[in-house]
Amino acid sequence: MVVASLEPVGVERIRALSVPVIDLSWRRERASKMIVRACEEFGFFKVVNHGVSEDVVSSLEDEAMKFFSLSAREKQQAGPPNPLGYGVRGIGFTGDIGELEYLLLHTNPSFISQKAHSICKSNPSEFCDVVEEYVGAMKELASEILEMVGEGLGLGDKQGLSKFIRDSENDSLLRLNHYTAIQEDEANASKAGSKDSTRNARVGFGEHSDPQIITVLRSNDVPGLQILASSPEGPVWVPVQPDPTAFYVLGGDLLRALTNGRLMSVRHRAMANCRRSRLSMIYFGTPPLHARISPFPETVTPQAPRRYKSFTWAEFKKAMYSLRLGNNRLDLYRLR
Ligand code: GA4
């Protein structure tokens, strides 16, 4: 469902819908249970005490900012996005537009080293090292979380989910999104144009769910991310407070299909209305192209009959690139 015209929610409602926080230093059983609960209710949670070193994060942030500060001509040499590479405003192949520029990279080291020459001419090998370290940390964190999901769901094969993204042929991606600051005149025009500031809101990346299994997002301290949550009055946009020391985890469409619809793929968007620029660094944990996506048998019961046909990630990926960003791709595979 696309509910693009919804207003962001008021303070009262945000308090009621506060984002679940998972502390990875909790007893494992407790953390696993809370992760599953957060994935069932929202498909979204914040992770603290994650053990990822600050240096790994700040080194990638520095490399990203170095790249985005280059001239447009220099940046274009890492593009156009096909879909990987450097892109400005255009998202995907079916006409979606957002107020951002980005680097979309495969996490495969050979892809990174090939691309590094156009991204960081001054020191491509340094760029490769920094990306590899960050991706390694994200893969570890995402795998750990998926193992906890497996435990929390009581799967016979606790590594059933994490195996997909640990596979050496995984199709995982890293996305660096740069939302430029809103200019003084734009801010004033938007204020003068309407009392309703949301009508003139700049959408950085429009409403969608992530297609993969799991997304791990980190941003600088500039707000913008919003998640769509259900409330008794219907769906509402909940702004997520930025926290550069934490990671935000989003369930993807494949997680939903693998758990027979029990875990959510959260719909979210990024607004770009700030006077400071926002940088987000996003890891998408993805299975190999040939991986078959069928629900874990434990998630199919007489009370919860099977909801989706089986498909491979390659088939799903092809379908998703033929659709618009906001479409519900899983509908193509729905059984009931
Ligand atoms: C959304 C999540 C990731 O950013 C992404 C996006 C991808 C792209 O930018 O190339 C897609 C989008 C995302 C889903 C639908 C298709 C594909 C743009 C688009 C319109 C990298 C991904 O895997 O799917």
Side-chain angles (χ1 to χ4, degrees), residues 49-64:
N49 284 321
H50 42 69
V52 177
S53 116
E54 253 179 73
D55 275 4
V56 171
V57 175
S58 62
S59 302
L60 183 62
E61 187 169 19
D62 293 349
E63 288 292 337

Side-chain angles (χ1 to χ4, degrees), residues 83 91-92 104 173 175 208 210-212 284 320-321 325 329:
I91 299 169
L104 184 55
L173 301 176
R175 174 167 212 134
H208 67 287
D210 291 341
Q212 293 81 1
F284 300 98
M320 92 194 193
Y321 272 111
L325 181 63
R329 292 151 227 125

Side-chain angles (χ1 to χ4, degrees), residues 127-147:
F127 181 80
C128 291
D129 291 348
V130 166
V131 170
E132 212 171 299
E133 262 217 275
Y134 189 82
V135 166
M138 291 303 101
K139 186 172 171 181
E140 251 333 290
L141 179 60
S143 302
E144 188 67 11
I145 290 169
L146 289 178
E147 270 159 37

Side-chain angles (χ1 to χ4, degrees), residues 2-110:
V2 178
V3 208
S5 59
L6 279 174
E7 309 276 309
V9 289
V11 175
E12 285 312 311
R13 174 127 318 279
I14 294 166
R15 225 174 261 139
L17 288 169
S18 62
V19 163
V21 180
I22 308 293
D23 184 330
L24 286 187
S25 68
W26 285 342
R27 199 165 42 84
R28 190 160 173 108
E29 214 186 309
R30 175 175 181 217
S32 303
K33 231 167 100 187
M34 299 303 277
I35 289 175
V36 168
R37 192 184 293 170
C39 290
E40 286 173 332
E41 282 177 17
F42 293 91
F44 182 79
F45 55 93
K46 171 175 169 173
V47 178
V48 298
N49 284 321
H50 42 69
V52 177
S53 116
E54 253 179 73
D55 275 4
V56 171
V57 175
S58 62
S59 302
L60 183 62
E61 187 169 19
D62 293 349
E63 288 292 337
M65 285 320 293
K66 246 194 306 181
F67 173 77
F68 289 123
S69 315
L70 296 173
S71 70
R73 224 181 93 233
E74 284 170 299
K75 287 186 282 193
Q76 297 300 352
Q77 290 175 15
N82 58 359
L84 305 178
Y86 172 69
V88 193
R89 300 188 76 231
I91 299 169
F93 301 121
T94 51
D96 285 284
I97 296 287
E99 292 304 325
L100 86 162
E101 57 175 340
Y102 61 86
L103 266 177
L104 184 55
L105 305 173
H106 201 283
T107 58
N108 184 328
S110 69

Side-chain angles (χ1 to χ4, degrees), residues 83 88 92-94 122 129 133 138 164 177 208 220-221 254 268 270 281 326 332:
V88 193
F93 301 121
T94 51
S122 58
D129 291 348
E133 262 217 275
M138 291 303 101
F164 283 118
N177 283 342
H208 67 287
N220 64 357
D221 65 347
L254 297 190
H268 56 287
M281 316 200 292
L332 295 175

